[in-house]
Structures are given as structure tokens and as C-alpha cells.
Amino acid sequence: MESIEPQSLKKLCLKSLKKSRDLFSTIHSQLAPLDPESKRIRMSHKISVEYEGIKVGSEIVPGQVNSAAVEASGSSTVLAISGPGDSWVSQKGGAQNALVVGPSLQPKTQNDAGVSGKSTSVITASGSSERNFLTSAIMERIPSKWPRPVWHPPWKNYRVISGHLGWVRSIAFDPSNTWFGTGSADRTIKIWDVGSGRLKLTLTGHIEQVRGLAISQRHTYMFSAGDDKQVKCWDLEQNKVVRSYHGHLSGVYCLALHPTIDLLLTGGRDSVCRVWDIRTKVQAFALSGHDNTVCSVFTRPTDPQVVTGSHDSTIKFWDLRYGKTMLTLTHHKKSVRAMALHPTEHCFASASADNIKKFSLPKGEFLHNMLSQQKTIINAMAVNEDGVMATGGDNGSLWFWDWKSGHNFQQAQTIVQPGMFPTTFSDRFGSVWNGKEDYADIYFAPGSLDSEAGIYALSYDLTGSRLVTCEADKTIKMWKEDEDATPETHPLNFKPPKDIRRF
């Protein structure tokens, strides 16, 4: 066995003492005392970096300040700033552009021939390409590359429509933009006039709440889906069901119509997006691949023709020719409950409880996050051609965003209607209709109003100038832009993001 050297034994003892002190000392949380030598080196380096553009001249006698110190011989353009006497550079003769700081006098010597007895503190304006930053205040500010948002007027609520007896869960606009339909938890579908808000028609047939609505642009058909596993086709000329599509194993949460082909797409709790032939009622494909409920879907004429969002926090692009997955996006951490396709640009946005993200099409490249977080479950979203995106939350919050920059320019909160007393809301909201009179058939229901502050669906009309929200207080609210708003009355408060998250 090798003997332990005394020096090694001493080191071991010191290490043991240090460990004991770290474990049992009562002053371990206090900072170590400052080392004067390290402080001097640090300050010296800091001064050297900060003032490396200043050349140290001859010493100046302190306390001798004269206002005539800037009268240098020859023509000179200077800026004089009074200050205490320090070490400066004497600028001799000739036409110079200089910055003069703290004029001081020093005793006249034989070497001061060019200044005629006066000393000025001068920082020369060097013409070299080398950048010498004296202080952070005069550093060149690099402009942000983030696009500046376009100013949009704020939106205001101008009408509240009452008539449903349950949560209003879905909405769809007619291609003529004269009426829209809403589906509710009262198992009915109601048709409303866009201009007046009057009730035109009530359709019954579902035995559970109606979760999805879609109106065909090519036929006189309206499609509905609900928690009763049923998908129905309504003939709007006869106002009755003409087809039913059977195949879902659980509730149907969303549906969409293909813009160019007679195909209907539905997604539900069975984690499958089913593709139906409208005319023959045949299921063309069962797009399986999600691990949880398919709660949002949209279609487009070109690949990817089908995009689905799910509670498994993924977004899938589907090849409609083979019924297979083209791409899976895993950027979200929570359920993707809503998606919105831009009407003119090749991109879309998806909403989750963690964030709202924007992706490009057809490759699905991540563009950026929206610059704010709504911090709630987002049930619905829509975007118009003017680049105004609206998102509705489970807590009744309605946020408006600039599409290009992701800037949130308005945060509105829906006002819950404390159900149900016969009155008019003309003084506050505009008109309220139940289809017969100028008042709502409302009955007071005790309980917390905050629990009824939820937005389940929203949609712009075909012009993009009106927004309709479907809410948990059994009402339908209509919104429009404030005509009196100007950039002066509602200025744009935008700060570009300092760090851009790329995930």
C-alpha cells in the first residue's frame, strides 16, 4: 500500500474542512467579500471598453475653467459642453468638425503654438469605418424586421338576438348573404334574417345538440351534425331532411363542405374524419390517424384538400386521393379546437389554449405565434379579407387580431344576458328579436352569470363587415366596426417582439 504524502493529506483535510463549513456554517447565504484587485481590473476593463475612442492628452490642472476656451485658432465647428476638468485631447489648428466637452485651461507652454494658450477638450470625428460607441445612448438603433400592423377600427356590439332555449353551438351563412342559420343545444336549427335579425324558420329533427352547420354554395342544401351521431342533409326548398349519413360511432363535432367537389367532411369523438358523397350517401373515406376527438376541419380546392385539428394537439394534412396522411403538425401543446383559413392568402391559423399559431400552405411551415395569449380555451375563430381575425374564448372574451403582424388590437368581453325578462336592449345593444315582437321572451334564471359567458361559434358574413357570435347565454350577438373611430381616437399601441419564438 502506497503511503499518503503529507501534502496530499493536507489537501484532503482542507477539502474536508471546506465541506463541513459549507454544510454547517450559518453564513453560507452571505456573499463573499469583494476583492479590491479584481474590482480594479474590472473597472479598468469597463472604462477601456466604454471610452476607447477618447485619446488621453496632457494632464489638465483642475479648477481652471474659462468660457473662452473654445476660441481656437482657425475656423472650427464645435459643440461645447461644460463639465469638470479631466484629461482631454488638444486639437490643433485647421478647420475641424469636433465635439468639445468640458472646456478647461491649462498653463501655457512652449508646445501650445496652435492653440494660443487655450486648451479645449476635443473628441475628433474620425472618418474611418470603425464604429466607436462612446455610450449606449448614441448606439445605432437597428429597426425591427417584424411587420407593422395595419390600423383597424375597433368592433362594437350592435344587436343581441334571442330565441334559442339552449347554448348556441354552430353558425353558417347563406351564399346570398341574406340569412344565416344557427344550431343549438335545444336540438333546433333556426334561420335568421341578416339585416333585421328576425327569426324566419325553425327546423327540428335532431335529438341532441347541433354541433355543426354548413350551407352549400352549389346546391339548395344545408348540412347539420350533432351529438346524436347523425349527419343530416336539409333541402331548403322543402325545409325537410332528404338524406342522412350514418357511420359515426359517437357525437359529430364539426363538418365542412368541399368547395369544388360534392363531398362532405365530418369529424367527431370517434377520432375519425369521414368523407361522404353528398348525392349517394356513400362514405368515400374514413381518415383515421388522430388519437382523440376531431374537433375542427376545413377544406380547400388544392392539396392539402383536407386539414383537421384534434384534441390530441396535432394538425393533420390529408391526401384526398388516397385517404392518407400527408403531414402532421405537432407545434401545439393543447387541443386544437379551432382553425381558420385565410380567404385570399395561402395560410391558416390554429387556436389552442397555449397559443394561436399561423402556418403556410401547402407545406405547413410554421410562420409565427400571435403576439399575445388569450389564456383561455378558444372555441372558435374566423378571419375576413381585411386581415381582421376574431377569436372567441370559453370565458366570453372576444379578441381581434391583425392577421399580418399578429398584433392584438382589441380585447372585448361579451356581456352576459341575465336571462330572461321581457325588455328591450335598444339603449345599449340595438334591437333584440324573438321573431314576433320587439322584445325577448326571457325568464329570469338564478345562478352565476360568469358561467354563461362563453363563445362557442363565430363567423363573418360574406362581406366581412359583420361578425356574429354564438354564445352560452342562449343569445346571438352581432358586431360591426365603429364608424366614428379614427387612428387619433384609437391609436395603435404596438411594440415589436424582442424575441421571436420559432416553435
Side-chain angles (χ1 to χ4, degrees):
M1 181 177 178
E2 296 181 1
S3 60
I4 300 176
E5 299 180 4
Q7 187 178 2
S8 300
L9 186 60
K10 183 179 180 181
K11 287 183 179 180
L12 291 172
C13 292
L14 289 174
K15 286 182 181 180
S16 177
L17 288 172
K18 184 178 182 301
K19 288 181 179 179
S20 301
R21 183 180 182 279
D22 291 342
L23 285 172
F24 303 108
S25 175
T26 58
I27 60 170
H28 60 82
S29 61
Q30 297 180 5
L31 296 176
L34 295 176
D35 183 14
E37 182 63 21
S38 64
K39 183 179 179 181
R40 185 190 65 78
I41 295 173
R42 185 172 67 254
M43 291 301 297
S44 174
H45 173 71
K46 204 170 183 180
I47 292 171
S48 175
V49 171
E50 189 77 13
Y51 301 103
E52 63 180 356
I54 300 176
K55 298 179 180 179
V56 180
S58 58
E59 294 184 358
I60 301 173
V61 178
Q64 298 179 351
V65 179
N66 194 342
S67 63
V70 295
E71 298 176 1
S73 61
S75 60
S76 176
T77 305
V78 296
L79 171 64
I81 304 173
S82 61
D86 283 317
S87 299
W88 306 104
V89 178
S90 297
Q91 182 68 39
K92 301 182 181 179
Q96 296 287 342
N97 294 326
L99 174 65
V100 181
V101 184
S104 306
L105 286 181
Q106 72 177 38
K108 185 173 181 179
T109 62
Q110 297 295 329
N111 296 329
D112 296 333
V115 190
S116 66
K118 291 178 280 295
S119 173
T120 55
S121 307
V122 176
I123 303 170
T124 61
S126 174
S128 65
S129 60
E130 183 180 357
R131 299 166 63 183
N132 294 324
F133 297 118
L134 302 182
T135 61
S136 59
I138 61 173
M139 289 181 64
E140 180 184 355
R141 297 185 63 183
I142 302 174
S144 174
K145 295 181 180 179
W146 197 269
R148 184 166 180 80
V150 181
W151 182 84
H152 300 284
W155 291 65
K156 63 179 182 180
N157 180 214
Y158 72 96
R159 179 179 292 149
V160 179
I161 303 173
S162 177
H164 279 293
L165 301 178
W167 294 349
V168 189
R169 301 302 302 253
S170 54
I171 182 172
F173 270 88
D174 173 54
S176 64
N177 205 37
T178 57
W179 57 270
F180 65 92
T182 55
S184 170
D186 61 7
R187 302 168 293 179
T188 64
I189 301 169
K190 291 184 182 291
I191 308 299
W192 310 87
D193 184 71
V194 172
S196 63
R198 293 182 181 274
L199 178 66
K200 301 178 71 173
L201 182 66
T202 300
L203 300 173
T204 59
H206 281 279
I207 58 176
E208 282 291 342
Q209 58 181 336
V210 182
R211 288 265 194 165
L213 275 182
I215 300 172
S216 175
Q217 297 183 354
R218 309 169 66 212
H219 309 285
T220 58
Y221 293 151
M222 179 176 67
F223 299 87
S224 63
D227 283 348
D228 52 7
K229 311 178 192 176
Q230 298 182 23
V231 180
K232 296 180 181 293
C233 174
W234 303 80
D235 190 335
L236 297 175
E237 292 180 344
Q238 306 177 43
N239 296 334
K240 67 178 184 179
V241 178
V242 293
R243 297 185 189 92
S244 292
Y245 305 90
H246 301 282
H248 276 284
L249 305 177
S250 189
V252 188
Y253 280 15
C254 59
L255 80 165
L257 282 168
H258 197 283
T260 57
I261 312 173
D262 289 336
L263 291 178
L264 173 68
L265 297 103
T266 57
R269 288 183 58 189
D270 54 6
S271 308
V272 177
C273 177
R274 301 183 187 271
V275 183
W276 309 90
D277 189 328
I278 290 175
R279 298 162 296 181
T280 64
K281 302 185 292 184
V282 174
Q283 178 180 297
F285 290 110
L287 306 178
S288 58
H290 283 293
D291 297 330
N292 210 326
T293 303
V294 178
C295 50
S296 54
V297 60
F298 69 84
T299 64
R300 52 197 301 268
T302 57
D303 286 336
Q305 297 184 54
V306 182
V307 180
T308 57
S310 171
H311 282 189
D312 62 7
S313 73
T314 65
I315 301 170
K316 286 185 180 290
F317 293 3
W318 300 91
D319 189 339
L320 202 54
R321 294 170 296 180
Y322 305 109
K324 296 182 179 180
T325 305
M326 295 175 62
L327 183 67
T328 301
L329 305 179
T330 59
H331 295 72
H332 284 287
K333 299 180 180 66
K334 301 289 184 180
S335 303
V336 184
R337 294 174 180 263
M339 295 188 297
L341 177 67
H342 195 279
T344 57
E345 298 179 8
H346 295 290
C347 53
F348 74 98
S350 59
S352 177
D354 57 355
N355 220 322
I356 302 174
K357 301 178 184 293
K358 195 161 76 172
F359 300 91
S360 68
L361 288 169
K363 295 183 179 180
E365 297 171 342
F366 174 71
L367 298 178
H368 63 85
N369 289 325
M370 296 296 149
L371 301 185
S372 304
Q373 287 185 332
Q374 202 161 343
K375 295 182 179 179
T376 185
I377 296 173
I378 298 174
N379 293 316
M381 63 192 308
V383 59
N384 63 8
E385 292 185 359
D386 295 333
V388 178
M389 184 175 69
T391 56
D394 217 37
N395 58 357
S397 59
L398 180 63
W399 286 24
F400 294 90
W401 311 77
D402 176 65
W403 176 267
K404 183 179 179 182
S405 63
H407 171 62
N408 172 229
F409 67 89
Q410 184 185 359
Q411 299 179 7
Q413 183 71 28
T414 183
I415 300 176
V416 181
Q417 301 307 302
M420 320 246 142
F421 49 89
T423 181
T424 61
F425 290 85
S426 301
D427 56 335
R428 193 167 190 179
F429 300 111
S431 301
V432 181
W433 306 97
N434 68 343
K436 298 177 182 179
E437 304 292 340
D438 292 350
Y439 61 87
D441 290 334
I442 307 181
Y443 307 93
F444 179 74
S448 172
L449 292 180
D450 293 337
S451 62
E452 300 294 326
I455 298 175
Y456 290 130
L458 57 86
S459 176
Y460 286 100
D461 68 347
L462 267 64
T463 64
S465 60
R466 286 173 287 199
L467 178 69
V468 182
T469 59
C470 304
E471 306 192 7
D473 61 357
K474 308 174 188 176
T475 64
I476 303 159
K477 295 185 176 66
M478 300 186 74
W479 305 72
K480 65 179 180 180
E481 292 181 342
D482 189 355
E483 301 90 349
D484 301 328
T486 62
E488 289 74 24
T489 58
H490 295 79
L492 189 65
N493 185 18
F494 172 69
K495 293 181 180 179
K498 294 181 180 179
D499 53 338
I500 302 174
R501 291 177 59 186
R502 300 302 302 172
F503 55 91

